[in-house]
Amino acid sequence: MMESRKSPEEWLLTSDPEKQRGRFKVFLGYAPGVGKTFSMLSEGIRRRSRGEDVVIGIVETHGRPNTAELESRLEHIPRREINYKGTVFSEMDVDAIIARMPQVALIDELAHTNIEGSRFPKRYEDVLYLLENKIDVLSTINIQHIESLAPRVQALTGISVREQIPDWVLDRADEIVISDLTPEALVTRMQRGDIYPQERVERALSNFFRRGNLIALREMALQRVTRAVDRNLDDYVRRKKLGAHWAVSEKVAVCISSNFQARDLIARGARLAEALDAELYVLHVSSGRDDNPDRKKVLESSLQFAKNLGASIVFLDGKDTARATAAFVRDNRITQAIVGRSAVHGLNSYLYYLAIQRFMSEAPHVDLHIVTQEKH
């Protein structure tokens, strides 16, 4: 008799029966109405159909019929009512979820602030508690609620975001899925009244939901997911000891010494990084020449210039500049490297050629840009 094929989730459970913590999956959106909660509920229903024990910890339908219909298909953990200053509020009952001990809990609006009297002040703390108790969690959040991005969102939209989560919470997610929708489609949803009641539509479209805002917010969300994918790939590459050619996003490294030409290289690297939407690194391998007061002053000025352009500064040690640089480039999966070449002749030219050969042999995956410089 042929054995039935297992789902990925079933393989995970059988391969890791003594898991140390629950798995955390986040549905990330760039604005209300893109479909985060709908996607989360849809996955919960699929998991239940495959035999997993799935419950809703808390879901906010915001009066959207399609979302409410999906919500009705899953078991709900009753909310806890809390009397605060004469008003009764209903919050997710994290203790009831622990008592029920499902395999998967669906928890909407990760950045929510709990009412005073709840077990934890913030909902993300509820989630972390469930994960510690080996319950898998599916959750949702919009990009503007991420702490490091909130100031950019406020500058862009003029709207202050009160409820935020620290970046490290999202970094703990095992998987981040973007709930994506084009700005045009989102505006159409808004105009139909699918997101807010009709009396709120015009105001929303002229404020937060302006097309320019939506394009910028969507770009932020896509960048955040790319960062998460790249971080997961970093972990996978290190764990499996794979080659340095595995990369998701572009990374530019500028290799400088303590001379006046360093600024030109940094500026060129910054332009390339901007064009590629890449991270920018400026590398310096320490040498005895840096002890010279004049050269030290030039180096400090160059590094400050790099910091002003948003570069990450990396100091490397090693007698062999080429090998030290190649090791960093390889280990950090740099995709573009920029080095300078002074117009030298004779022995110095030959030694430079050998150094480039060593670098390329040890970091063959990188695109190397050699910039000829005039000596000052």
Side-chain angles (χ1 to χ4, degrees):
M1 181 177 178
M2 185 177 293
E3 183 181 357
S4 61
R5 178 173 293 181
K6 295 180 180 179
S7 69
E9 288 79 11
E10 288 169 334
W11 277 115
L12 182 63
L13 288 172
T14 56
S15 64
D16 188 18
E18 298 297 329
K19 64 179 182 180
Q20 298 302 307
R21 59 186 290 271
R23 290 184 60 81
F24 185 24
K25 183 170 183 176
V26 176
F27 293 84
L28 176 68
Y30 68 89
V34 295
K36 303 177 301 297
T37 304
F38 190 92
S39 297
M40 178 182 69
L41 287 166
S42 297
E43 174 154 339
I45 291 169
R46 286 195 300 273
R47 289 193 178 199
R48 189 192 62 177
S49 72
R50 294 195 290 258
E52 292 187 59
D53 184 12
V54 180
V55 302
I56 290 176
I58 192 163
V59 162
E60 303 292 352
T61 66
H62 299 289
R64 297 165 191 164
N66 292 337
T67 304
E69 194 277 325
L70 290 184
E71 182 199 30
S72 67
R73 299 190 201 176
L74 292 169
E75 177 188 345
H76 293 65
I77 299 297
R79 300 188 188 189
R80 178 187 176 195
E81 293 191 345
I82 300 174
N83 190 311
Y84 179 67
K85 295 183 178 180
T87 302
V88 177
F89 296 87
S90 64
E91 291 282 11
M92 183 178 74
D93 192 338
V94 67
D95 293 313
I97 298 174
I98 294 292
R100 170 65 174 72
M101 208 60 187
Q103 288 175 286
V104 185
L106 276 56
I107 299 175
D108 213 2
E109 299 185 355
L110 184 61
H112 173 77
T113 300
N114 295 328
I115 201 69
E116 189 174 318
S118 301
R119 174 182 270 272
F120 298 106
K122 299 289 291 186
R123 185 167 291 167
Y124 74 77
E125 295 175 293
D126 294 331
V127 167
L128 295 175
Y129 183 58
L130 295 177
L131 294 172
E132 288 173 3
N133 282 274
K134 304 181 183 180
I135 296 173
D136 294 348
V137 174
L138 308 183
S139 192
T140 66
I141 192 170
N142 276 329
I143 195 73
Q144 64 265 30
H145 296 288
I146 299 173
E147 193 171 58
S148 66
L149 297 178
R152 289 176 58 190
V153 174
Q154 182 173 354
L156 177 71
T157 65
I159 296 173
S160 177
V161 181
R162 183 177 60 85
E163 295 186 317
Q164 301 174 16
I165 67 166
D167 288 55
W168 62 263
V169 175
L170 204 60
D171 289 341
R172 286 195 59 178
D174 298 286
E175 186 178 357
I176 300 176
V177 177
I178 188 165
S179 296
D180 194 27
L181 194 67
T182 65
E184 292 76 13
L186 184 59
V187 168
T188 299
R189 277 190 183 180
M190 176 66 76
Q191 291 170 335
R192 287 201 308 256
D194 293 345
I195 301 173
Y196 294 152
Q198 284 293 344
E199 61 269 19
R200 295 176 57 189
V201 168
E202 185 175 347
R203 182 178 179 184
L205 289 174
S206 61
N207 289 283
F208 188 88
F209 282 80
R210 291 197 303 270
R211 187 172 183 274
N213 286 354
L214 297 179
I215 291 171
L217 291 167
R218 187 188 189 205
E219 181 67 19
M220 286 185 205
L222 291 169
Q223 288 175 354
R224 185 69 194 209
V225 171
T226 300
R227 169 182 155 181
V229 171
D230 209 36
R231 188 180 65 250
N232 289 340
L233 184 57
D234 278 336
D235 294 339
Y236 182 79
V237 167
R238 281 194 293 269
R239 197 166 60 248
K240 298 294 184 180
K241 299 181 180 179
L242 299 174
H245 60 280
W246 286 63
V248 173
S249 58
E250 294 278 358
K251 297 179 182 179
V252 176
V254 181
C255 311
I256 67 167
S257 61
S258 53
N259 61 24
F260 287 102
Q261 293 88 355
R263 273 186 172 236
D264 294 335
L265 292 179
I266 294 167
R268 183 181 289 253
R271 290 194 298 271
L272 179 61
E274 183 177 7
L276 297 175
D277 193 22
E279 296 178 59
L280 176 62
Y281 297 83
V282 171
L283 316 181
H284 176 71
V285 180
S286 301
S287 70
R289 292 182 299 174
D290 299 337
D291 295 334
N292 178 287
D294 291 335
R295 295 185 71 96
K296 186 175 182 180
K297 187 175 180 180
V298 170
L299 177 62
E300 290 173 351
S301 176
S302 298
L303 295 177
Q304 185 58 53
F305 177 65
K307 289 178 183 177
N308 293 343
L309 293 176
S312 298
I313 309 300
V314 179
F315 293 97
L316 302 173
D317 293 317
K319 294 181 180 180
D320 190 324
T321 298
R323 286 203 167 95
T325 304
F328 177 86
V329 165
R330 184 178 61 248
D331 294 345
N332 292 274
R333 302 200 330 279
I334 301 297
T335 58
Q336 311 280 336
I338 297 177
V339 300
R341 182 183 187 279
S342 299
V344 294
H345 303 282
L347 179 60
N348 285 338
S349 179
Y350 177 69
L351 293 175
Y352 176 85
Y353 172 78
L354 291 180
I356 290 295
Q357 288 297 309
R358 285 199 304 278
F359 176 86
M360 291 303 297
S361 67
E362 298 195 18
H365 69 285
V366 73
D367 290 340
L368 181 63
H369 305 254
I370 300 176
V371 181
T372 300
Q373 302 167 306
E374 294 296 329
K375 295 185 72 176
H376 293 289

